[in-house]
PDB file of all heavy atoms in Angstrom:
ATOM      1  N   LEU A  45     101.473  57.813  -6.589  1.00  0.00           N
ATOM      2  CA  LEU A  45     102.376  57.007  -5.840  1.00  0.00           C
ATOM      3  C   LEU A  45     101.723  55.840  -5.205  1.00  0.00           C
ATOM      4  O   LEU A  45     102.200  54.692  -5.263  1.00  0.00           O
ATOM      5  CB  LEU A  45     103.140  57.784  -4.783  1.00  0.00           C
ATOM      6  CG  LEU A  45     104.146  57.095  -3.923  1.00  0.00           C
ATOM      7  CD1 LEU A  45     105.330  56.596  -4.832  1.00  0.00           C
ATOM      8  CD2 LEU A  45     104.687  58.001  -2.841  1.00  0.00           C
ATOM      9  N   VAL A  46     100.547  56.063  -4.632  1.00  0.00           N
ATOM     10  CA  VAL A  46      99.803  54.961  -3.957  1.00  0.00           C
ATOM     11  C   VAL A  46      99.362  53.928  -4.992  1.00  0.00           C
ATOM     12  O   VAL A  46      99.437  52.717  -4.760  1.00  0.00           O
ATOM     13  CB  VAL A  46      98.606  55.552  -3.243  1.00  0.00           C
ATOM     14  CG1 VAL A  46      97.637  54.414  -2.761  1.00  0.00           C
ATOM     15  CG2 VAL A  46      99.084  56.301  -1.978  1.00  0.00           C
ATOM     16  N   VAL A  47      98.907  54.380  -6.153  1.00  0.00           N
ATOM     17  CA  VAL A  47      98.493  53.429  -7.222  1.00  0.00           C
ATOM     18  C   VAL A  47      99.683  52.637  -7.676  1.00  0.00           C
ATOM     19  O   VAL A  47      99.583  51.385  -7.825  1.00  0.00           O
ATOM     20  CB  VAL A  47      97.815  54.261  -8.350  1.00  0.00           C
ATOM     21  CG1 VAL A  47      97.705  53.391  -9.588  1.00  0.00           C
ATOM     22  CG2 VAL A  47      96.503  54.836  -7.948  1.00  0.00           C
ATOM     23  N   VAL A  48     100.824  53.254  -7.853  1.00  0.00           N
ATOM     24  CA  VAL A  48     101.969  52.470  -8.308  1.00  0.00           C
ATOM     25  C   VAL A  48     102.405  51.417  -7.276  1.00  0.00           C
ATOM     26  O   VAL A  48     102.722  50.269  -7.565  1.00  0.00           O
ATOM     27  CB  VAL A  48     103.170  53.460  -8.577  1.00  0.00           C
ATOM     28  CG1 VAL A  48     104.461  52.701  -8.729  1.00  0.00           C
ATOM     29  CG2 VAL A  48     102.883  54.254  -9.861  1.00  0.00           C
ATOM     30  N   LEU A  49     102.378  51.837  -6.012  1.00  0.00           N
ATOM     31  CA  LEU A  49     102.725  50.901  -4.914  1.00  0.00           C
ATOM     32  C   LEU A  49     101.720  49.718  -4.813  1.00  0.00           C
ATOM     33  O   LEU A  49     102.131  48.621  -4.662  1.00  0.00           O
ATOM     34  CB  LEU A  49     102.790  51.641  -3.602  1.00  0.00           C
ATOM     35  CG  LEU A  49     103.959  52.541  -3.416  1.00  0.00           C
ATOM     36  CD1 LEU A  49     103.858  53.306  -2.111  1.00  0.00           C
ATOM     37  CD2 LEU A  49     105.290  51.797  -3.518  1.00  0.00           C
ATOM     38  N   LEU A  50     100.436  49.995  -5.067  1.00  0.00           N
ATOM     39  CA  LEU A  50      99.443  48.957  -5.050  1.00  0.00           C
ATOM     40  C   LEU A  50      99.621  47.987  -6.245  1.00  0.00           C
ATOM     41  O   LEU A  50      99.446  46.783  -6.087  1.00  0.00           O
ATOM     42  CB  LEU A  50      98.026  49.535  -5.053  1.00  0.00           C
ATOM     43  CG  LEU A  50      97.531  50.178  -3.741  1.00  0.00           C
ATOM     44  CD1 LEU A  50      96.194  50.861  -3.940  1.00  0.00           C
ATOM     45  CD2 LEU A  50      97.473  49.129  -2.633  1.00  0.00           C
ATOM     46  N   VAL A  51      99.951  48.551  -7.370  1.00  0.00           N
ATOM     47  CA  VAL A  51     100.222  47.692  -8.570  1.00  0.00           C
ATOM     48  C   VAL A  51     101.427  46.733  -8.326  1.00  0.00           C
ATOM     49  O   VAL A  51     101.418  45.566  -8.622  1.00  0.00           O
ATOM     50  CB  VAL A  51     100.338  48.537  -9.833  1.00  0.00           C
ATOM     51  CG1 VAL A  51     100.927  47.735 -10.938  1.00  0.00           C
ATOM     52  CG2 VAL A  51      99.079  49.160 -10.237  1.00  0.00           C
ATOM     53  N   VAL A  52     102.515  47.371  -7.791  1.00  0.00           N
ATOM     54  CA  VAL A  52     103.698  46.578  -7.426  1.00  0.00           C
ATOM     55  C   VAL A  52     103.398  45.454  -6.422  1.00  0.00           C
ATOM     56  O   VAL A  52     103.740  44.324  -6.549  1.00  0.00           O
ATOM     57  CB  VAL A  52     104.810  47.456  -6.963  1.00  0.00           C
ATOM     58  CG1 VAL A  52     105.975  46.651  -6.357  1.00  0.00           C
ATOM     59  CG2 VAL A  52     105.306  48.361  -8.076  1.00  0.00           C
ATOM     60  N   LEU A  53     102.591  45.870  -5.377  1.00  0.00           N
ATOM     61  CA  LEU A  53     102.224  44.883  -4.359  1.00  0.00           C
ATOM     62  C   LEU A  53     101.417  43.693  -4.983  1.00  0.00           C
ATOM     63  O   LEU A  53     101.602  42.544  -4.693  1.00  0.00           O
ATOM     64  CB  LEU A  53     101.494  45.523  -3.232  1.00  0.00           C
ATOM     65  CG  LEU A  53     100.970  44.656  -2.117  1.00  0.00           C
ATOM     66  CD1 LEU A  53     102.216  44.121  -1.309  1.00  0.00           C
ATOM     67  CD2 LEU A  53     100.095  45.441  -1.191  1.00  0.00           C
ATOM     68  N   PHE A  54     100.456  44.036  -5.857  1.00  0.00           N
ATOM     69  CA  PHE A  54      99.630  43.090  -6.502  1.00  0.00           C
ATOM     70  C   PHE A  54     100.446  42.197  -7.380  1.00  0.00           C
ATOM     71  O   PHE A  54     100.278  40.964  -7.335  1.00  0.00           O
ATOM     72  CB  PHE A  54      98.569  43.779  -7.359  1.00  0.00           C
ATOM     73  CG  PHE A  54      97.751  42.851  -8.176  1.00  0.00           C
ATOM     74  CD1 PHE A  54      96.742  42.101  -7.533  1.00  0.00           C
ATOM     75  CD2 PHE A  54      97.912  42.669  -9.564  1.00  0.00           C
ATOM     76  CE1 PHE A  54      95.978  41.266  -8.304  1.00  0.00           C
ATOM     77  CE2 PHE A  54      97.158  41.751 -10.279  1.00  0.00           C
ATOM     78  CZ  PHE A  54      96.099  41.048  -9.591  1.00  0.00           C
ATOM     79  N   VAL A  55     101.418  42.700  -8.082  1.00  0.00           N
ATOM     80  CA  VAL A  55     102.299  41.884  -8.930  1.00  0.00           C
ATOM     81  C   VAL A  55     103.161  40.895  -8.090  1.00  0.00           C
ATOM     82  O   VAL A  55     103.248  39.757  -8.412  1.00  0.00           O
ATOM     83  CB  VAL A  55     103.181  42.761  -9.801  1.00  0.00           C
ATOM     84  CG1 VAL A  55     104.296  41.903 -10.494  1.00  0.00           C
ATOM     85  CG2 VAL A  55     102.347  43.431 -10.880  1.00  0.00           C
ATOM     86  N   VAL A  56     103.700  41.401  -7.006  1.00  0.00           N
ATOM     87  CA  VAL A  56     104.534  40.563  -6.129  1.00  0.00           C
ATOM     88  C   VAL A  56     103.661  39.474  -5.500  1.00  0.00           C
ATOM     89  O   VAL A  56     104.035  38.276  -5.475  1.00  0.00           O
ATOM     90  CB  VAL A  56     105.199  41.438  -4.988  1.00  0.00           C
ATOM     91  CG1 VAL A  56     105.831  40.573  -3.963  1.00  0.00           C
ATOM     92  CG2 VAL A  56     106.229  42.357  -5.671  1.00  0.00           C
ATOM     93  N   VAL A  57     102.463  39.795  -5.014  1.00  0.00           N
ATOM     94  CA  VAL A  57     101.602  38.781  -4.412  1.00  0.00           C
ATOM     95  C   VAL A  57     101.162  37.786  -5.426  1.00  0.00           C
ATOM     96  O   VAL A  57     101.120  36.622  -5.150  1.00  0.00           O
ATOM     97  CB  VAL A  57     100.425  39.494  -3.666  1.00  0.00           C
ATOM     98  CG1 VAL A  57      99.380  38.508  -3.253  1.00  0.00           C
ATOM     99  CG2 VAL A  57     100.932  40.306  -2.432  1.00  0.00           C
ATOM    100  N   SER A  58     100.850  38.265  -6.583  1.00  0.00           N
ATOM    101  CA  SER A  58     100.408  37.338  -7.656  1.00  0.00           C
ATOM    102  C   SER A  58     101.513  36.374  -8.022  1.00  0.00           C
ATOM    103  O   SER A  58     101.339  35.175  -8.234  1.00  0.00           O
ATOM    104  CB  SER A  58     100.009  38.105  -8.893  1.00  0.00           C
ATOM    105  OG  SER A  58      98.878  38.917  -8.639  1.00  0.00           O
ATOM    106  N   CYS A  59     102.781  36.891  -8.138  1.00  0.00           N
ATOM    107  CA  CYS A  59     103.885  36.018  -8.510  1.00  0.00           C
ATOM    108  C   CYS A  59     104.127  35.027  -7.353  1.00  0.00           C
ATOM    109  O   CYS A  59     104.434  33.841  -7.688  1.00  0.00           O
ATOM    110  CB  CYS A  59     105.134  36.832  -8.726  1.00  0.00           C
ATOM    111  SG  CYS A  59     105.062  37.773 -10.324  1.00  0.00           S
ATOM    112  N   GLY A  60     103.994  35.416  -6.185  1.00  0.00           N
ATOM    113  CA  GLY A  60     104.183  34.523  -5.040  1.00  0.00           C
ATOM    114  C   GLY A  60     103.157  33.456  -5.011  1.00  0.00           C
ATOM    115  O   GLY A  60     103.393  32.277  -4.764  1.00  0.00           O
ATOM    116  N   ALA A  61     101.892  33.845  -5.302  1.00  0.00           N
ATOM    117  CA  ALA A  61     100.780  32.882  -5.309  1.00  0.00           C
ATOM    118  C   ALA A  61     100.970  31.885  -6.437  1.00  0.00           C
ATOM    119  O   ALA A  61     100.755  30.644  -6.299  1.00  0.00           O
ATOM    120  CB  ALA A  61      99.475  33.617  -5.462  1.00  0.00           C
ATOM    121  N   ILE A  62     101.405  32.310  -7.670  1.00  0.00           N
ATOM    122  CA  ILE A  62     101.614  31.482  -8.744  1.00  0.00           C
ATOM    123  C   ILE A  62     102.724  30.475  -8.466  1.00  0.00           C
ATOM    124  O   ILE A  62     102.650  29.269  -8.700  1.00  0.00           O
ATOM    125  CB  ILE A  62     101.837  32.271 -10.035  1.00  0.00           C
ATOM    126  CG1 ILE A  62     100.625  33.011 -10.497  1.00  0.00           C
ATOM    127  CG2 ILE A  62     102.383  31.333 -11.119  1.00  0.00           C
ATOM    128  CD1 ILE A  62     100.832  33.949 -11.584  1.00  0.00           C
ATOM    129  N   ALA A  63     103.812  30.952  -7.867  1.00  0.00           N
ATOM    130  CA  ALA A  63     104.934  30.142  -7.453  1.00  0.00           C
ATOM    131  C   ALA A  63     104.503  29.074  -6.422  1.00  0.00           C
ATOM    132  O   ALA A  63     104.830  27.892  -6.474  1.00  0.00           O
ATOM    133  CB  ALA A  63     106.071  30.906  -6.936  1.00  0.00           C
ATOM    134  N   PHE A  64     103.733  29.521  -5.452  1.00  0.00           N
ATOM    135  CA  PHE A  64     103.234  28.601  -4.441  1.00  0.00           C
ATOM    136  C   PHE A  64     102.317  27.520  -5.005  1.00  0.00           C
ATOM    137  O   PHE A  64     102.471  26.319  -4.657  1.00  0.00           O
ATOM    138  CB  PHE A  64     102.523  29.401  -3.326  1.00  0.00           C
ATOM    139  CG  PHE A  64     101.970  28.524  -2.213  1.00  0.00           C
ATOM    140  CD1 PHE A  64     102.844  28.026  -1.283  1.00  0.00           C
ATOM    141  CD2 PHE A  64     100.622  28.315  -2.100  1.00  0.00           C
ATOM    142  CE1 PHE A  64     102.343  27.211  -0.208  1.00  0.00           C
ATOM    143  CE2 PHE A  64     100.083  27.455  -1.047  1.00  0.00           C
ATOM    144  CZ  PHE A  64     101.014  26.959  -0.136  1.00  0.00           C
ATOM    145  N   LEU A  65     101.429  27.962  -5.854  1.00  0.00           N
ATOM    146  CA  LEU A  65     100.477  26.938  -6.464  1.00  0.00           C
ATOM    147  C   LEU A  65     101.224  26.087  -7.444  1.00  0.00           C
ATOM    148  O   LEU A  65     100.830  24.936  -7.637  1.00  0.00           O
ATOM    149  CB  LEU A  65      99.302  27.688  -7.127  1.00  0.00           C
ATOM    150  CG  LEU A  65      98.344  28.411  -6.195  1.00  0.00           C
ATOM    151  CD1 LEU A  65      97.341  29.179  -7.025  1.00  0.00           C
ATOM    152  CD2 LEU A  65      97.682  27.386  -5.221  1.00  0.00           C
TER     153      LEU A  65
END
Side-chain angles (χ1 to χ4, degrees):
L45 180 64
V46 168
V47 168
V48 167
L49 290 175
L50 286 174
V51 168
V52 168
L53 180 66
F54 177 75
V55 168
V56 169
V57 169
S58 297
C59 289
I62 291 171
F64 179 74
L65 291 175

